[in-house]
């Protein structure tokens, strides 16, 4: 595969958001490691302690899934959501 093709960004629109966050759990999560590990700024902390997931930014690296100590994040890809992949 050519380098330009591998660097290309392909978008797959497969329905509703593919990331779901149990925001009730997030209210009790003090450090919010999902925010600091996500390289794309997907997880946006709110003043009330909840998280808004900007799923359209997600690069699907899985860092937040690993970082969340409470299992509050659920990925539903590929059945639902918008998916961005390189190459
Ligand atoms: S790490 Fe998990 S529980 Fe904590 S704010 Fe992020 S998604 Fe919510």
């Amino acid at each position: 595969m050519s380098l330009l093709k591998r660097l290309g960004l392909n978008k797959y629109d497969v329905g509703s958001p593919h990331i779901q966050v149990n925001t009730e759990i997030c209210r009790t999560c003090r450090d919010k490691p999902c925010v600091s590990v996500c390289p794309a700024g997907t997880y946006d902390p709110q003043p009330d302690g909840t998280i808004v997931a900007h799923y359209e930014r997600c690069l699907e690296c899985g860092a937040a899934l690993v970082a969340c100590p409470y299992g509050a994040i659920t990925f539903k890809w590929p059945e639902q959501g918008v998916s961005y992949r390189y190459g």
Side-chain angles (χ1 to χ4, degrees):
M1 181 183 293
S2 73
L3 179 60
L4 286 179
K5 174 63 178 172
R6 291 183 62 184
L7 293 176
L9 180 62
N10 301 315
K11 176 182 174 184
Y12 304 92
D13 187 349
V14 287
S16 60
H18 71 301
I19 302 171
Q20 293 200 341
V21 182
N22 185 331
T23 58
E24 289 306 311
I25 295 175
C26 298
R27 286 184 199 275
T28 62
C29 179
R30 190 183 63 187
D31 295 333
K32 301 195 177 345
C34 61
V35 176
S36 55
V37 301
C38 177
T42 300
Y43 301 93
D44 188 10
Q46 302 297 299
D48 65 356
T50 61
I51 289 286
V52 171
H54 298 280
Y55 63 88
E56 74 282 3
R57 301 175 185 172
C58 179
L59 301 172
E60 298 180 2
C61 67
L65 284 175
V66 176
C68 178
Y70 304 111
I73 302 171
T74 304
F75 269 44
K76 287 191 169 182
W77 188 87
E79 288 83 8
Q80 299 179 30
V82 176
S83 171
Y84 295 85
R85 292 209 155 188
Y86 289 99

